[in-house]
Amino acid sequence: MIKYQKLMKFLENNPAYLYKEENDIIEIYFNTPSLQEASESDDASDSNRSMHIILRKNKNDEIEVIEAEIEGINYHKKMSNDEIEWWLNTIDVMY
């Protein structure tokens, strides 16, 4: 599980991510790339989606996933904890 300091280092060094922290809760906001940008396709119908991730710092300074979702025009998807934990593990390896 990723430690708080590693996550904060990642967030502070990545201007694409906005976050706010209150007590032990960290909320992260990120505008996802469109399908067109991510896959280099000509499909522009999948743009303007934002991701909202809510995390908690536990007593061991480890990060736990509370919930996450992606929202856009006519689109809403609750993300599984496994998806966010995969992302956190990737950050943990990078930092």
Side-chain angles (χ1 to χ4, degrees):
M1 197 174 292
I2 189 170
K3 293 285 189 174
Y4 170 79
Q5 293 300 331
K6 280 191 175 185
L7 174 64
M8 297 312 293
K9 182 178 178 183
F10 171 80
L11 292 174
E12 291 167 357
N13 290 318
N14 288 282
Y17 291 86
L18 299 175
Y19 69 94
K20 67 179 184 177
E21 186 176 3
E22 188 173 318
N23 299 321
D24 292 333
I25 302 297
I26 304 159
E27 291 190 60
I28 301 170
Y29 303 89
F30 173 71
N31 289 326
T32 65
S34 68
L35 181 60
Q36 183 179 15
E37 292 169 324
S39 66
E40 299 180 4
S41 76
D42 293 330
D43 183 3
S45 65
D46 187 30
S47 60
N48 298 321
R49 289 186 179 178
S50 62
M51 184 180 295
H52 180 215
I53 304 168
I54 303 174
L55 306 168
R56 177 182 312 134
K57 178 175 73 167
N58 70 20
K59 61 184 175 184
N60 297 322
D61 280 344
E62 294 175 335
I63 299 298
E64 300 173 354
V65 178
I66 296 176
E67 67 180 0
E69 60 189 6
I70 297 177
E71 294 184 16
I73 299 172
N74 299 318
Y75 183 85
H76 182 265
K77 178 188 177 208
K78 184 172 173 106
M79 298 181 71
S80 73
N81 285 3
D82 288 342
E83 290 174 290
I84 300 305
E85 287 171 7
W86 177 87
W87 174 71
L88 291 171
N89 288 333
T90 301
I91 294 169
D92 192 26
V93 170
M94 289 172 36
Y95 286 83

